[in-house]
Amino acid sequence: MTSTSSTLALRCATCRRTYPLSDLPWKCGGCHGVLDLAGFTPAMPTLTDLATRRPTLWRYAEALPIPEPPDVTMGEGLTPLVTAPGQPGVALKADYLMPTGSFKDRGAVLLAALAARLGVTRLMADSSGNAGTAIAAYATRAGIACDVYVPADTSAGKIGQLRAYGATVHQIPGTREDTARAAARAADEPGVFYASHVYNPVFLHGTKTYVLELWEQLGGRLPDTLVLPVGNGTLVLGAYLGSVELRDQNLIDRLPRIIAVQAAGCAPLASAFREGLPAPAEIITQSTVAEGIAIARPARGSQILAAVRASGGAIVTVTDTAVHAAHAALARCGLYVEPTSAVCWAAIQAGLVPATPLHDGAPAIVAPLCGSGLKSKPPA
Ligand SMILES: [Zn+2]
């Protein structure tokens, strides 16, 4: 361990109790609160420093809590910004061009690197999609055995991808929450490293590179507005974390406004935001085409609500009809993403994102294209 990583610890967001990383806790043993990373001070490299570095997210080494794992990285990061069709002022960040086809590679590579440094020989994850495949891919590169818990109705394509990476797939009957419960039981076994994209805060230090890249790609500034899909909040919380770190280093004046987008059929965060609640609302779930964000009880829900409010943003919803239309419109522009990735475009098209003027020709609004359309069922 380097002197930096040896000072890292996990701290409960609720009761502030701290735990060593080597204890492999995934939530607070006292109050069951979620854990955040403590004992790490990020430093953003200058634009001049960055000019000579390789085009991966590891170019921000000083801002990351884990050193680059040379044998594990697949060159993930620094995805292109693409012009949005017919919408000057809006740019789309093509995170579906990552090694496993989704933005989840940003966090998965950090978790695999952490597991390797901790000497873990087996890890587990639960995911109905992109997070599980990303973690399985980076685990196999790190030489770490991987168990993935998925709902029994997960598409054959996704299960095939997991097995191809060498993961042991556990198909759990019932809902996504039943899968999460089965995973939690497995995670509580001694010596298990739960490589959770939701609970492990190191994952968020990976997804924050989305914002660090934007800062660099826009010449040392952030857009006024970040439009982001939200289910478990891995991208919203990562984007917020990165923005706060840039502000704390005086590299931006103010936080970008976060407009987070949920599917109308599963919107506990949008409901809570509307009602001014501090935690996700109890909701009746309906099915939605945006399966990647259909999360009824997001574990970091309170943190997501606080982040969006602190940014001066909002949480909005879009209907499946609007998502289908946005998905088709993006494909007609050459951008073949999974339906979940179309929710932000749907929100922009529906006028749910306040218009912002251009700054010297740079985009004022940026939304991600999170996952490849090649992994999802073709649209009906
Ligand atoms: Zn606690």
Side-chain angles (χ1 to χ4, degrees):
M1 290 265 173
T2 64
S3 57
T4 307
S5 55
S6 63
T7 61
L8 293 177
L10 297 166
R11 184 169 60 212
C12 176
T14 306
C15 74
R16 317 296 286 174
R17 188 167 154 187
T18 61
Y19 301 85
L21 281 170
S22 54
D23 281 6
L24 309 182
W26 61 275
K27 62 179 180 180
C28 178
C31 76
H32 306 301
V34 292
L35 302 176
D36 291 327
L37 192 67
F40 170 63
T41 306
M44 187 67 178
T46 66
L47 290 172
T48 308
D49 288 340
L50 290 169
T52 56
R53 296 190 184 181
R54 286 180 297 115
T56 80
L57 60 79
W58 297 102
R59 62 202 280 102
Y60 311 110
E62 300 90 329
L64 299 174
I66 312 289
E68 177 173 0
D71 298 334
V72 179
T73 176
M74 291 192 267
E76 55 286 327
L78 212 60
T79 54
L81 274 179
V82 183
T83 310
Q87 288 264 7
V90 180
L92 303 172
K93 191 157 168 60
D95 263 22
Y96 71 107
L97 299 176
M98 290 281 192
T100 78
S102 90
F103 81 96
K104 293 287 202 312
D105 290 4
R106 295 183 184 279
V109 70
L110 263 79
L111 284 191
L114 171 62
R117 291 180 73 79
L118 292 171
V120 167
T121 57
R122 188 160 201 102
L123 59 77
M124 52 140 313
D126 64 314
S127 164
S128 56
N130 292 327
T133 49
I135 285 165
Y138 286 99
T140 194
R141 282 185 73 79
I144 297 172
C146 177
D147 291 84
V148 183
Y149 291 73
V150 301
D153 62 358
T154 299
S155 71
K158 283 174 175 168
I159 289 170
Q161 191 182 3
L162 289 169
R163 292 204 172 118
Y165 290 136
T168 303
V169 180
H170 304 263
Q171 292 176 264
I172 308 299
T175 64
R176 179 69 183 80
E177 279 68 42
D178 291 323
T179 298
R181 273 190 288 275
R185 278 194 296 277
D188 282 334
E189 296 292 321
V192 171
F193 182 83
Y194 184 14
S196 171
H197 60 293
V198 181
Y199 288 99
N200 196 310
V202 169
F203 196 93
L204 303 178
H205 285 264
T207 55
K208 82 181 179 190
T209 59
Y210 176 82
V211 155
L212 305 188
E213 290 177 15
L214 280 179
W215 181 84
E216 182 185 359
Q217 289 173 312
L218 298 179
R221 55 175 291 272
L222 287 181
D224 291 317
T225 303
L226 301 174
V227 190
L228 299 166
V230 65
N232 272 316
T234 49
L235 195 46
V236 164
L237 291 171
Y240 180 72
L241 175 64
S243 301
V244 168
E245 288 182 359
L246 291 173
R247 186 197 57 187
D248 289 351
Q249 295 170 69
N250 296 313
L251 294 171
I252 55 172
D253 298 334
R254 60 192 162 87
L255 300 175
R257 170 171 50 195
I258 294 174
I259 305 293
V261 187
Q262 295 219 280
C266 187
L269 295 163
S271 298
F273 183 84
R274 219 171 26 240
E275 293 162 30
L277 302 175
E282 291 280 333
I283 55 152
I284 310 271
T285 317
Q286 293 156 353
S287 73
T288 169
V289 66
E291 59 179 14
I293 52 170
I295 307 297
R297 285 189 218 105
R300 292 188 185 269
S302 300
Q303 291 183 322
I304 296 165
L305 286 159
V308 171
R309 286 176 176 135
S311 80
I315 307 179
V316 301
T317 62
V318 291
T319 64
D320 273 16
T321 306
V323 175
H324 280 302
H327 183 253
L330 288 171
R332 288 302 192 94
C333 297
L335 303 165
Y336 191 55
V337 295
E338 61 180 0
T340 306
S341 293
V343 299
C344 294
W345 190 241
I348 292 168
Q349 294 301 98
L352 297 172
V353 179
T356 323
L358 288 170
H359 295 283
D360 305 327
I365 298 171
V366 177
L369 301 169
C370 295
S372 169
L374 298 175
K375 293 209 278 186
S376 54
K377 286 193 286 277

